[in-house]
Amino acid sequence: MEYVIEMLNIRKEFPGIVANDNITLQLKKGEIHALLGENGAGKSTLMNVLFGLYQPEKGEIRVNGKKVNITNPNIANDLGIGMVHQHFMLVDTLTVTENIILGKEPTKLGHVNLKDASKEIKKISEQYGLSVDPNAKIADISVGMQQRVEILKTLYRGADILIFDEPTAVLTPQEILELIAIMKRLIAEGKSIILITHKLKEIMEVCDRVTVIRKGQGIGTVDVAETNENELASLMVGREVVFKTEKIESKPKQPVLTIENLTVKDARHVKAVNGLNLTVRAGEIIGIAGVDGNGQSELIEAITGLRKSESGTIKLNDKDITKFPPRKVTESGVGHIPQDRHKHGLVLDFPMSENIVLQTYYKKPYSKFGILDFKAITKKAKEIIAEYDVRTPSESTLARALSGGNQQKAIIGREIDRNPDLLIAAQPTRGLDVGAIEFIHKRLIEQRDQGKAVLLVSFELDEIMNVSDRIAVMYEGQIVAVVDPKETTEQGLGLLMAGSKKKETGEVNHV
C-alpha cells in the first residue's frame, strides 16, 4: 500500500469563510510530509479534520486504502493517528505519566495503575530517544520537554501516523535540533509524519515531500529534493519573497532608553537580570541575542512595568520610569509587542475591535465620560486591519478565531499606531510564515527610519543579524558584548551567547 493516509477533495467551511477548498493530501508510509502555507491558509483546519476535531462538508479520507469516517479524536487514535498540537494539551499540575495516560488509564483492581504506566512510558521514551522523567510535574519542565510529553502521549496510544502542528514555533534552536533527531528516529521505527510548518529550512532538512496550500486551496505537492527555499516561498505566498531585509544605514541620535545597573529577580526570586547596562538610541534597532533563560523576559517585564526591579534605573527620554506601573509606561511612550501574544497581547474572548484599542479605550475618541464609543472603536479597528493586512472575517470576530500570524499583525498595528518613542519587539515573528516575517521586519525598520528606538529580542539568529543595527549579547543576566552585525558571524554570536569571553572571539566593540 503506497499511501497510509489519503485526504481527497476535502472541503471545510466556517460561517463566512471557506477554510479548505477541495484539498488533496496523500501521505506515504515512512515519509515526513510537510504541509506548507501562510498563517491562516487552512493547514491546522485540514489536520483537525484528519484528527476528527472537525467534520468536512465534502471529500473523503482513506487510511491504508480503506475509506473511514473520523467523527472524533478517539476514532483517529483507534486508526493509529496521533496529533501533537501547537498549543499543548497538558495539565500543569499533573505529572508526565498522569498527563500521558489521561483518558486511557490502565487499572488494577479498580485503581489507576501508575506504576505499570510509568514503566511503559519509560520503555517507549527510551525506544524513541525521548528521555523524559515520568514523575516530573509538567509545570516544572521546559517547553521542549513538554512537547516530548505530547509525542509520548500519541505513541502511548499506539499511533503510527503522527501529525506535528508547528512543532518548532516555541522551541529554542537546540531543542529544534533535538526534535529533528526524534522525528528521524520515529521514521526509522516505521512511523509516518505530517509536519505542519512554514519554516522552509526545516522542510529542506527533514521532509521528503511537501504539499502547499494558499488561502485554503491546494497549490500542489512537490519532492523536496527537486525544489529550493525560494521556490517554496513563492508557491506559499504567491509572489517572490525577499529573505534579506533591505535597509539603509542607521543614523542614531539621542538616547531614548537608558538602563543602568539593573537587577531583576525571576519568579523563583533568583537574580535573572544582574547589573545590566544598555542604551538604545533614536533611529536604531538594537537586537538582543541570547539563549532562552538568560534574563531576556525579566528585562522586558522590568522595562514595561510588568515586573518590579530590585535595583538600578530605567530611563525613557531621560525620565526615570523604573517604578512606573504598565499603563504609565505605555503612556510615557513605550510600545510593547509581547513574547506571549495570548498571555500579554490579547484578550482572546474579546472581538478584534476591542483588542485593537486595549491600550487606548479609556481615551477620546474611544470613550466619553467613561462610556465606550463603539462606532469610533470599529472605525479604528477597520483602519488597522486594512493597513496591517490582518486576515479576519470582520473586526467583530473573536481574537482566538484568528491564526497566530494575524493575531500578531493586529498587535503590531495597535502598538505602532500609538506612535511610541521606544518599540519593544519580543519574538515578533515567532510562529509566523515568511510573508508575515518580511512584512513585520519592514515595519520595524520603518519605525527606526522615522527616528524611533527599537529593542528587538529574538531567539532567531538570522532575524537578529538581518534586522539589527547593533547586537547586544545577553548571558546570565548581563550584556556581555555589543557587536556590529556586519562584522560578526552566527558562529561568533553563538560563542558569545554560550558565555565565551569577549577577548576570545575578537568580535566585540564597546558595551
Side-chain angles (χ1 to χ4, degrees), residues 33 107 129 189 252 289 403 473 476:
H33 190 116
T107 55
E189 295 273 352
S403 71
V473 182
E476 291 187 347

Side-chain angles (χ1 to χ4, degrees), residues 266-320:
D266 64 15
R268 296 164 304 159
H269 304 292
V270 174
K271 280 183 188 174
V273 177
N274 192 1
L276 180 137
N277 295 291
L278 181 69
T279 301
V280 188
R281 295 172 294 185
E284 75 170 346
I285 298 173
I286 290 271
I288 291 193
V291 177
D292 191 11
N294 276 278
Q296 298 96 318
S297 301
E298 289 80 7
L299 171 64
I300 293 163
E301 287 170 5
I303 299 168
T304 52
L306 292 167
R307 187 178 289 274
K308 211 170 107 242
S309 50
E310 299 297 310
S311 60
T313 56
I314 303 165
K315 286 183 178 173
L316 187 77
N317 294 324
D318 232 13
K319 181 172 152 191
D320 192 336

